[in-house]
Amino acid sequence: MVHFEKVNRELQENILKNGNNLKGKVMIQKLAITGGTHGNELTGVYLVKKWQKQPALIRRSNFETITQLMNTQAIKEVRRYIDHDLNRSFGLSDLMDKTLDGYEAKLAKELNEKLGQKGSRTPNVDFIVDLHSTTANMGLSIVVSNESAVTWQAIAYLSQKVPSLKIYRWKGDIENAFVDSIAPHGFAIEVGAVPQGVLRADLFVQTEALIYHLLDFVEQLNDAVLLNLPDEVEVYDHERLVDYPRDEQGDIIGMVHQDRQDRDFEPIKEGDPLFLTLEGEVISYRGEPRYTLFVNEAAYYEKGFAMTLAKKSHMGIEA
């Protein structure tokens, strides 16, 4: 445990160093667009397939863009994962643990070799954008755990291009084990509401356009173009997870209240309806005013939560 804590501290220091000390150089040499981390989230799967057939769409002048279909077996079976959530499989301790031999555990190690290695000073990929969809009404949003300056400059640029874009800063894990954590810079794009195993045209097109904006940003960044980025961006900082009401056996005895359904990135205050029990009783929210995200996400039933609560803040952007 002590060894892993030391490695994790060194990893975070290295990521921050790589993120902030590259001024005057070509900062991004290789960017990876990943899709199908969850095999039933088809937006990313079919965008990656499109770009593999039409690579000119994602080609830019001063860096390389690669595409990667991630969990190919889960994609084939149109399911989230086979043994374990791939997007929770990139913790450094898990990547180093040779005793973990499940399908996704082995796959994560292979992908880390190809796209990482995590924490390396000479990574194979500099920036990862991982494409996801959600059954929650998240619209076009970014989930970010990376604190590198380049990551946040990219987010600021995208927020200028797409004012409706929402930014969710995840802080729920001791160590980020998401796909994008194996590169020095990056984030995930979440779009919804999209049912599992379904393509939705409007959000497909919006995701595609957001990627083109990101590629344009990197090209300009590498050319040292003055971008006139905002001083700060609005973010929703993760605070806690909210579980469904349950009985003594752990069974769900209530559902998200109809007045809260689809109200992602919207405020909730003391006394607002939160859940409706199977018997018709309203359970109200208790706590400080916050914002609800990932409301009634289908994939999170197994993880034991109904939504996340976030607090709105602002993130300063390094020039």
Side-chain angles (χ1 to χ4, degrees):
M1 178 64 71
V2 174
H3 170 69
F4 287 139
E5 289 177 352
K6 180 181 178 182
V7 172
N8 287 345
R9 286 197 301 273
E10 292 174 350
L11 166 65
Q12 295 302 323
E13 290 170 0
N14 187 37
I15 289 174
L16 289 173
K17 182 177 181 181
N18 286 343
N20 293 300
N21 291 346
L22 295 174
K23 292 180 179 179
K25 300 180 181 179
V26 175
M27 301 183 76
I28 305 298
Q29 297 181 38
K30 184 179 289 187
L31 179 147
I33 305 169
T34 57
T37 297
H38 296 136
N40 58 2
E41 297 177 6
L42 301 189
T43 302
V45 172
Y46 281 93
L47 277 170
V48 166
K49 288 183 175 183
K50 173 176 180 174
W51 291 322
Q52 287 176 342
K53 292 179 179 178
Q54 304 177 67
L57 293 172
I58 53 173
R59 189 176 300 133
R60 297 296 185 271
S61 64
N62 54 24
F63 67 97
E64 180 184 0
T65 303
I66 66 171
T67 55
Q68 179 70 47
L69 286 175
M70 299 294 280
N71 197 333
T72 54
Q73 187 59 40
I75 292 169
K76 185 181 299 183
E77 298 184 26
V78 196
R79 54 191 290 187
R80 185 173 174 85
Y81 57 80
I82 304 302
D83 295 321
H84 179 73
D85 192 334
L86 183 61
N87 206 34
R88 305 296 188 277
S89 299
F90 293 91
L92 196 62
S93 58
D94 288 345
L95 293 172
M96 296 172 67
D97 190 344
K98 296 180 180 179
T99 67
L100 297 177
D101 59 357
Y103 174 77
E104 276 83 10
K106 291 179 179 178
L107 179 58
K109 293 176 176 66
E110 294 171 6
L111 291 166
N112 183 51
E113 290 292 328
K114 182 175 183 178
L115 302 176
Q117 293 182 349
K118 186 169 184 173
S120 171
R121 295 182 183 275
T122 56
N124 293 322
V125 170
D126 302 299
F127 197 116
I128 292 177
V129 53
D130 192 30
L131 305 183
H132 289 263
S133 61
T134 169
T135 64
N137 189 34
M138 294 283 284
L140 189 63
S141 58
I142 285 175
V143 178
V144 58
S145 300
N146 195 309
E147 295 295 333
S148 84
V150 171
T151 297
W152 282 97
Q153 288 164 3
I155 289 171
Y157 179 89
L158 296 177
S159 296
Q160 282 185 320
K161 295 296 181 181
V162 185
S164 62
L165 182 67
K166 297 291 194 298
I167 313 303
Y168 175 41
R169 180 160 52 182
W170 170 258
K171 295 181 178 179
D173 297 320
I174 296 174
E175 181 201 344
N176 182 3
F178 295 155
V179 167
D180 60 89
S181 73
I182 62 179
H185 319 286
F187 49 73
I189 294 175
E190 283 277 6
V191 296
V194 182
Q196 296 175 349
V198 169
L199 280 169
R200 177 171 163 169
D202 57 342
L203 292 174
F204 182 97
V205 171
Q206 290 176 39
T207 306
E208 183 177 13
L210 196 66
I211 290 294
Y212 296 148
H213 287 314
L214 175 62
L215 300 179
D216 292 343
F217 161 80
V218 173
E219 185 173 48
Q220 293 176 72
L221 183 75
N222 287 345
D223 279 341
V225 173
L226 183 62
L227 294 170
N228 293 317
L229 298 176
D231 294 333
E232 61 182 21
V233 293
E234 184 178 85
V235 301
Y236 294 80
D237 281 321
H238 173 81
E239 194 163 272
R240 65 184 177 93
L241 307 174
V242 179
D243 195 5
Y244 293 91
R246 298 177 185 272
D247 62 19
E248 294 178 354
Q249 288 72 45
D251 289 334
I252 289 174
I253 58 170
M255 57 204 126
V256 173
H257 193 278
Q258 59 267 30
D259 290 348
R260 181 49 41 181
Q261 182 65 45
D262 297 329
R263 295 185 63 183
D264 299 82
F265 295 105
E266 292 192 23
I268 188 170
K269 65 182 187 302
E270 179 90 17
D272 285 349
L274 184 61
F275 294 111
L276 183 68
T277 71
L278 302 181
E279 305 303 322
E281 177 189 354
V282 175
I283 299 176
S284 299
Y285 173 71
R286 296 286 178 259
E288 295 296 318
R290 292 294 182 263
Y291 292 81
T292 52
L293 286 73
F294 284 109
V295 177
N296 209 14
E297 160 61 48
Y300 294 160
Y301 275 73
E302 69 172 27
K303 296 184 184 299
F305 64 92
M307 66 191 73
T308 71
L309 290 182
K311 188 175 182 179
K312 189 185 289 190
S313 68
H314 291 83
M315 175 69 179
I317 304 302
E318 183 176 321

